[in-house]
Amino acid sequence: MDAQSRGRAENIDPADQWVLNPNTGEYELRLGNSAPQSPVPGPRASRRGRPAEPGAERGRGAAAVREAPERGAEVPQPRRRRGAEPEPPPGRRNRRPVKKKSKAKKIVAWTGGGLALVLVATGSAGYLYLKHLEGNVSATDVGSAAKQGFSKDDAFNILIIGTDKRTGAGNEGYGDKNSVGHADTNILLHVAKDRTNATALSIPRDMIVDVPDCETVQPDGSKKVIPGSSQVRFNTSLGQEGRDAGCTMRTVKAVTGITPDHFMMVDFNAVKTLTSAVGGVKVCLKHAVNDKDSHLQLPAGESKIEGEQALAFVRTRHAWGNQGDLDRIKVQQQFMGSLMRDMSSSDTLTNPGKLLDLAEAATKALTVDQGIKSVSTLKDIALEMKKVPPKNITFLTVPVVDNPAEKVHATVVVNQTAGPEIFDAINNDVSFTDVKKKEQAAKDAQAARLKGSRSAPSDVRVRIMNGGAAAGSAQETLNWMQTEKSILKSENAGNAPAELSKTTLEYAPDQAPQARELAALMGLPGSALKPGESVENAQGLPAMSLTLGKDFKGAGVSLTAPAKAPDVSDKSTADKVECAS
């Protein structure tokens, strides 16, 4: 049993574990009987027997610099300046700072449906504990389906998957007892680049899709391609025929055009353990529920649920609306919003003991891809998500219609009128709520590049390079320019030196009119225009450089993002209290 487990078992007050480290000047968590550890490099503490770096104690000789305490050694009291108030006695409560806020970071928890997304974040006091939590997280190698790492500076998409696989006792009444773990509940979470907003898009499990071929990594390290399936339920993208979460990620991309960067997956038992760890989640019902199938019994009005009750709440279908999966999705979204409000207002975030319990439950519940398997990376994701105001977190569901191939409707298909507009908005980082963009000034400057005089197409001189687009895109674009747009002073310059995520057009100041004309013809946004230098074309004349990035969709297909998201009637935000009906 580790030090934290022993401490809780013996009812040790977490406040007793916070002590002052004289080498850092911070209050830190003492794990067991060890000396406090400083997990995040600030001014480096000295190694044993070596002085600290210069500046650790300004104006004092090297001999006077204190050495870092050895593990288990008694921590010396900090020296008090002459005339300063005496230190308080070392009582139970006086070890914790009274007015100074702890630098320990917060934990953010999300759960919903057959899923739970819990991101654990701890700061300087929790480094050693982070290493302990590292062993709790399970990871699946999904190959190229997921990114290798996480960037704090970009927008990101995480596919949250809740499987119907049973684990733990008491889950016999839910799902298929023989299930290999299908994608039962699915939410594609998009977090905007500027962190002003986020969109959680629910994907119905009974939506008919084409599952693409999927390369999976086998236990022995070998790779196996699992053939795709046409016109099957979305939930079969996981588990069926040995498909892993990477297959579900690829299916999402095939259906929506949105590329998930990472995935997080949990099963039934995680919902119970996580809701118990946070002390329950508040829910609201418009009418009393007594569902004999899920055994959910709740009165009308507000209730607080956890464990078995919480799982029944997010799993039941017969208590809501038309007793279908789409109505259950709405309830799951309301549940997630409630949990987020509870986490931001309850004493969970200021209770070290509860934080430790939640951290244990969260990390044991998660299965993630290799790119985010470290707890420090999960911490980074949590802190980035924490920047998004709840009022700007929008819950949506993929727009669907009844499957026209069925006489008795049991499945749905994507609404091809409403769906693409929503997918396009998410793909282009457009918010579904009114937000004040942090980058508005920069965007205004980019838009200004499109304003002004424009050259005639016959005067546009440009070299085209492929910088990550599909093979043949440069030649396709050249043919389109010359045959359809009369841009005859154009040439295919082959592959770019490096791949780009976004298409760019670089030009010299005197080529701005040419750049504006080409942008108008191609549908390039202002952000694609890069003032810079011209290059020589094959005739030795100055030309612009058009580099087709990974976002390139084909010759003549506009890359300009929608100015605003489409109006969606059936949406909700995380800050609003809603009652299930």
Side-chain angles (χ1 to χ4, degrees):
M1 183 180 294
D2 59 29
Q4 292 74 32
S5 300
R6 288 196 300 270
R8 290 194 297 276
E10 297 169 5
N11 295 321
I12 294 177
D13 190 325
D16 284 348
Q17 297 178 316
W18 291 86
V19 297
L20 181 69
N21 187 331
N23 293 288
T24 64
E26 296 180 358
Y27 283 85
E28 300 176 359
L29 186 64
R30 182 195 291 272
L31 302 179
N33 294 321
S34 66
Q37 304 293 318
S38 180
V40 179
R44 283 206 287 266
S46 63
R47 298 176 185 173
R48 294 196 306 183
R50 296 185 184 180
E53 291 183 357
E57 291 192 16
R58 188 170 297 172
R60 300 181 62 190
V65 178
R66 299 183 182 183
E67 296 181 356
E70 296 190 21
R71 184 179 300 274
E74 175 144 353
V75 181
Q77 293 295 322
R79 300 187 64 169
R80 179 164 56 91
R81 295 189 305 271
R82 181 174 299 173
E85 291 294 326
E87 292 289 333
R92 288 170 59 87
R93 295 297 174 189
N94 286 331
R95 286 186 179 176
R96 185 189 296 219
V98 177
K99 295 183 179 179
K100 180 181 177 181
K101 290 185 178 179
S102 167
K103 291 188 179 181
K105 303 298 182 183
K106 298 179 179 180
I107 289 180
V108 176
W110 285 35
T111 50
L115 63 89
L117 166 60
V118 177
L119 302 172
V120 181
T122 58
S124 61
Y127 177 73
L128 294 183
Y129 194 60
L130 280 180
K131 305 309 291 183
H132 161 72
L133 294 176
E134 201 84 58
N136 290 347
V137 181
S138 299
T140 298
D141 186 353
V142 295
S144 61
K147 287 186 175 180
Q148 294 303 307
F150 173 74
S151 171
K152 298 180 183 179
D153 300 321
D154 297 323
F156 60 91
N157 302 314
I158 296 180
L159 180 61
I160 307 165
I161 306 172
T163 77
D164 58 359
K165 189 173 183 179
R166 299 177 179 180
T167 61
N171 297 323
E172 293 78 10
Y174 305 101
D176 178 4
K177 67 179 180 180
N178 298 315
S179 176
V180 293
H182 293 117
D184 194 57
T185 302
N186 310 275
I187 294 180
L188 180 62
L189 175 67
H190 170 80
V191 179
K193 181 176 181 178
D194 63 7
R195 307 301 188 247
T196 61
N197 67 94
T199 303
L201 180 68
S202 293
I203 303 172
R205 65 173 190 174
D206 294 329
M207 186 173 70
I208 297 300
V209 299
D210 292 337
V211 177
D213 293 348
C214 176
E215 183 180 81
T216 60
V217 180
Q218 302 300 300
D220 62 359
S222 63
K223 295 181 178 179
K224 176 183 177 181
V225 176
I226 300 175
S229 301
S230 298
Q231 296 299 288
V232 294
R233 281 178 166 85
F234 181 89
N235 67 343
T236 61
S237 63
L238 177 69
Q240 201 83 1
E241 311 298 335
R243 295 185 178 114
D244 60 17
C247 301
T248 308
M249 296 172 72
R250 291 183 172 95
T251 303
V252 169
K253 182 178 180 180
V255 173
T256 67
I258 305 169
T259 303
D261 300 314
H262 303 285
F263 83 88
M264 295 182 176
M265 182 168 62
V266 297
D267 55 27
F268 285 165
N269 210 51
V271 178
K272 298 197 296 187
T273 59
L274 290 168
T275 52
S276 295
V278 300
V281 176
K282 294 177 183 177
V283 296
C284 179
L285 279 68
K286 288 186 177 179
H287 58 80
V289 170
N290 187 356
D291 183 19
K292 60 183 178 63
D293 293 311
S294 66
H295 308 295
L296 178 66
Q297 296 184 24
L298 287 175
E302 188 176 278
S303 299
K304 196 165 189 178
I305 59 176
E306 64 177 274
E308 188 70 38
Q309 244 188 347
L311 179 57
F313 182 84
V314 297
R315 287 293 305 158
T316 186
R317 287 189 299 175
H318 302 296
W320 321 122
N322 295 322
Q323 303 185 11
D325 190 50
L326 295 179
D327 290 300
R328 178 169 61 177
I329 286 175
K330 294 178 185 176
V331 173
Q332 292 169 353
Q333 293 172 346
Q334 293 164 9
F335 181 86
M336 291 178 67
S338 296
L339 177 61
M340 295 170 66
R341 291 191 299 273
D342 285 347
M343 288 301 299
S344 62
S345 62
S346 71
D347 64 350
T348 302
L349 299 178
T350 57
N351 185 324
K354 187 175 286 188
L355 286 178
L356 295 179
D357 289 341
L358 180 56
E360 291 287 349
T363 50
K364 288 177 181 177
L366 283 175
T367 298
V368 301
D369 59 88
Q370 294 282 344
I372 57 173
K373 66 179 181 179
S374 73
V375 174
S376 62
T377 302
L378 293 176
K379 173 204 70 175
D380 290 340
I381 295 175
L383 294 178
E384 293 306 307
M385 288 177 58
K386 179 178 173 288
K387 297 176 182 178
V388 182
K391 67 178 182 178
N392 291 334
I393 300 174
T394 304
F395 296 109
L396 303 174
T397 302
V398 171
V400 294
V401 295
D402 289 332
N403 185 356
E406 296 175 335
K407 292 183 179 179
V408 178
H409 298 304
T411 60
V412 294
V413 296
V414 175
N415 182 332
Q416 292 300 332
T417 300
E421 287 186 314
I422 290 178
F423 304 153
D424 195 37
I426 294 174
N427 231 347
N428 287 286
D429 207 22
V430 179
S431 175
F432 284 83
T433 58
D434 293 328
V435 296
K436 293 181 179 179
K437 294 284 188 179
K438 297 177 182 177
E439 301 175 351
Q440 193 59 50
K443 291 187 176 182
D444 290 344
Q446 293 169 355
R449 295 171 189 164
L450 300 173
K451 298 177 181 178
S453 61
R454 287 160 43 182
S455 300
S458 58
D459 292 331
V460 174
R461 186 179 289 111
V462 60
R463 299 174 76 245
I464 309 164
M465 294 181 287
N466 192 328
S473 293
Q475 186 61 42
E476 176 193 357
T477 303
L478 177 66
N479 296 339
W480 174 81
M481 284 184 181
Q482 294 185 344
T483 59
E484 297 189 30
K485 299 300 177 182
S486 300
I487 304 177
L488 302 180
K489 298 176 182 178
S490 52
E491 63 183 50
N492 183 349
N495 291 328
E499 290 191 353
L500 301 177
S501 59
K502 300 288 185 180
T503 296
T504 63
L505 176 62
E506 184 175 358
Y507 57 94
D510 62 345
Q511 295 172 320
Q514 295 183 47
R516 288 191 284 268
E517 175 65 11
L518 186 58
L521 295 175
M522 291 188 65
L524 297 178
S527 59
L529 274 59
K530 305 294 182 185
E533 299 178 352
S534 62
V535 293
E536 288 188 357
N537 64 5
Q539 290 76 40
L541 299 174
M544 300 183 295
S545 296
L546 174 66
T547 305
L548 306 179
K550 294 179 181 179
D551 64 332
F552 183 74
K553 301 174 183 177
V557 180
S558 176
L559 293 177
T560 301
K564 59 176 294 185
D567 291 330
V568 181
S569 58
D570 193 15
K571 70 177 182 180
S572 60
T573 53
D575 64 319
K576 300 291 178 60
V577 178
E578 296 192 33
C579 295
S581 59

